[in-house]
Amino acid sequence: MKFRFNQQKLTDYLRSALILVLLGVEILLCAEAIYEINSEYFVALVCCCVVLLIVEAVNEFVLRRFILKAVFYTIAALLSFAICLLTGNSYLAVIYCIVLTGLYCTVETFKDRTILFGCGCGLYFISFVGSRLIIERSLSIYQALVATVSGLFGGLFAILLDYVVVQFIIKYYNTNKELSKALAAADKSREQLEAAYEQLTVTRLYEERNRIAKDIHDNAGHSMTTVIMQTEAAKLLIDKNPEEAKARIISANLQAKNALEQMRDSVHLLAGNDKIKPVGEEIQNIIVQTMDGTGVRIRSDIADFETSEQTRRFLCNSLKELFSNGIRHGKASAFYVELANNGSIIKLLVSDNGSGVSGAVKEGFGLRGIREKAEKMGGTCCFTGEEDEGFEVTIILPDGGAEVKND
């Protein structure tokens, strides 16, 4: 259970405590005066004490406007002066301290409390000196002066001590109040940050899933479309041109294997298996699978190193696409693959002995996708070839590859 700070209840407790202290002082005054003053003065003393108690209670619990409070504090000062005249002792300082303490609690600023302290000292000075002059008329001037000065300084010191203590308590109270507000604000901010972090985590999860879904659509979907087109063409050519039909089926088989590998990679990512694998090992596996499935010859110079998952997937998918294009469109029977990393850049070079190109290279869906992805990752992609001289692709990426969103 959390402790809840209630400012209003604490203020009410303090006001009640002041009224109880005032009641105790008044009882003490009346108890001392019952045998020292005649009955008429005692009745007047009791009346003054009762009225003073009522005035203070109304001031503390009823009045809210500062002007009305000031009027009632003036009345309280006059009653204190009357009590001092009737009793002839120094309890006037205690009563002033009680009255001023209640007044300090009604103002907000240190400046206003200091002004009230000054006014209280002035009223106490007038009340005390006036009452002592009236009470001690039978004493000599020297004796009256000594008694008045000693009592005056004792009372002023009591008022000063009360002012300092109350100021310290108010300062401590305000500091704790501000600290409580700051802690509450910090707790609220922490809750908001936790909620925002949760939302961000969920958002990033959905973004990653959307990215993987797009990757499946762009890569595996394209491969499967190619497989369908190649097999449909093979059906039409199987009687007229068996060799061409065979080449189409081999190309479709390679595309299907590529699509299967891409689907496996995407499933591994969805399952949270994003361990980075050496890219050279993956490239070698693709080369072996291509030679087994198509019968083409492939020479290679492959450096084995680790890089980011994004870069590894891009290089592997690009190599599969280039093998498929070389076999399907260029009628290539041999390839050369080079993969290098000099510490700052990664280079993938793929060349074939196919039919090449006549004139400028026309980028299809696959080649355009490879070039755009390489540029998004901060690299370059260059296509070169001549008619009947084969085709060559050079991909250069920064080491590790730059992470790209919404690719």
Side-chain angles (χ1 to χ4, degrees):
M1 182 181 294
K2 294 185 178 179
F3 173 75
R4 295 186 178 275
F5 176 80
N6 192 317
Q7 179 184 357
Q8 185 60 45
K9 286 186 177 181
L10 180 59
T11 304
D12 290 342
Y13 291 151
L14 292 175
R15 289 170 176 170
S16 300
L18 288 175
I19 297 300
L20 290 175
V21 172
L22 179 60
L23 176 61
V25 172
E26 290 180 342
I27 292 173
L28 183 60
L29 278 171
C30 293
E32 290 184 356
I34 191 170
Y35 298 112
E36 296 180 358
I37 61 178
N38 57 47
S39 58
E40 292 83 3
Y41 287 164
F42 182 75
V43 172
L45 175 62
V46 172
C47 293
C48 288
C49 290
V50 171
V51 175
L52 177 61
L53 189 66
I54 295 173
V55 168
E56 280 299 300
V58 172
N59 209 354
E60 293 295 339
F61 294 103
V62 178
L63 300 181
R64 292 292 179 266
R65 296 181 62 184
F66 183 76
I67 295 177
L68 293 177
K69 282 179 173 289
V71 173
F72 270 68
Y73 279 120
T74 303
I75 296 173
L78 294 175
L79 290 170
S80 300
F81 177 73
I83 292 172
C84 186
L85 287 177
L86 293 170
T87 58
N89 55 45
S90 58
Y91 281 105
L92 180 63
V94 178
I95 296 176
Y96 263 88
C97 289
I98 296 172
V99 174
L100 286 172
T101 299
L103 188 56
Y104 293 149
C105 296
T106 62
V107 296
E108 297 291 335
T109 64
F110 172 79
K111 178 181 177 182
D112 291 339
R113 288 192 293 270
T114 304
I115 293 173
L116 291 174
F117 166 72
C119 294
C121 289
L123 287 174
Y124 174 76
F125 178 84
I126 295 171
S127 299
F128 185 82
V129 171
S131 63
R132 302 310 292 185
L133 290 176
I134 294 172
I135 293 170
E136 298 172 357
R137 287 177 296 179
S138 60
L139 299 178
S140 65
I141 296 177
Y142 174 77
Q143 291 175 328
L145 182 62
V146 170
T148 301
V149 171
S150 61
L152 179 63
F153 276 100
L156 290 175
F157 178 78
I159 295 174
L160 175 61
L161 183 62
D162 172 73
Y163 169 76
V164 172
V165 171
V166 172
Q167 285 289 98
F168 175 79
I169 293 174
I170 291 175
K171 180 65 176 178
Y172 179 79
Y173 167 78
N174 288 336
T175 301
N176 278 273
K177 181 180 175 183
E178 292 174 0
L179 181 60
S180 298
K181 289 182 178 179
L183 289 174
D187 288 339
K188 185 177 180 180
S189 298
R190 179 179 58 81
E191 291 174 359
Q192 291 175 344
L193 286 174
E194 288 178 353
Y197 178 77
E198 262 184 57
Q199 184 62 36
L200 179 61
T201 302
V202 173
T203 302
R204 291 184 65 180
L205 178 62
Y206 282 122
E207 287 179 352
E208 181 65 12
R209 288 181 177 178
N210 290 337
R211 187 191 69 80
I212 295 172
K214 187 175 184 298
D215 186 65
I216 292 173
H217 177 270
D218 291 345
N219 295 312
H222 170 67
S223 297
M224 295 306 297
T225 301
T226 303
V227 168
I228 294 171
M229 293 175 63
Q230 292 292 338
T231 53
E232 290 292 333
K235 286 195 301 183
L236 298 175
L237 294 171
I238 194 167
D239 294 328
K240 299 179 181 179
N241 192 343
E243 290 298 322
E244 177 66 17
K246 180 181 178 181
R248 297 291 180 112
I249 293 173
I250 291 173
S251 177
N253 179 267
L254 180 59
Q255 285 288 346
K257 288 182 177 180
N258 291 342
L260 180 60
E261 288 298 320
Q262 292 165 2
M263 292 289 290
R264 284 174 177 170
D265 287 344
S266 298
V267 169
H268 288 163
L269 283 175
L270 285 172
N273 183 16
D274 56 353
K275 182 179 179 181
I276 297 177
K277 304 173 183 177
V279 65
E281 180 182 338
E282 291 290 304
I283 295 294
Q284 288 287 9
N285 290 336
I286 294 171
I287 290 173
V288 171
Q289 291 173 6
T290 303
M291 288 191 296
D292 291 343
T294 63
V296 298
R297 294 176 290 111
I298 303 176
R299 293 188 302 110
S300 62
D301 182 10
I302 307 298
D304 200 11
F305 54 90
E306 290 187 354
T307 184
S308 69
E309 176 67 16
Q310 185 185 36
T311 301
R312 183 190 70 81
R313 286 170 56 81
F314 171 64
L315 292 174
C316 292
N317 292 340
S318 298
L319 182 61
K320 294 173 186 177
E321 179 69 23
L322 293 174
F323 280 160
S324 178
N325 282 347
I327 295 171
R328 185 171 71 252
H329 300 299
K331 313 298 185 208
S333 60
F335 290 85
Y336 172 71
V337 179
E338 178 184 351
L339 178 67
N341 184 350
N342 66 3
S344 60
I345 62 170
I346 298 172
K347 176 183 176 183
L348 175 65
L349 183 146
V350 181
S351 62
D352 62 49
N353 64 348
S355 60
V357 294
S358 175
V361 177
K362 295 181 180 180
E363 296 181 1
F365 178 84
L367 294 181
R368 184 173 66 254
I370 292 173
R371 178 182 58 77
E372 291 177 350
K373 183 65 176 291
E375 291 173 351
K376 287 182 179 179
M377 297 176 68
T380 59
C381 182
C382 179
F383 307 122
T384 58
E386 296 181 6
E387 190 172 5
D388 298 326
E389 295 294 331
F391 191 72
E392 183 175 284
V393 178
T394 303
I395 299 173
I396 296 178
L397 299 175
D399 188 10
E403 292 297 328
V404 179
K405 295 181 179 180
N406 302 323
D407 55 348

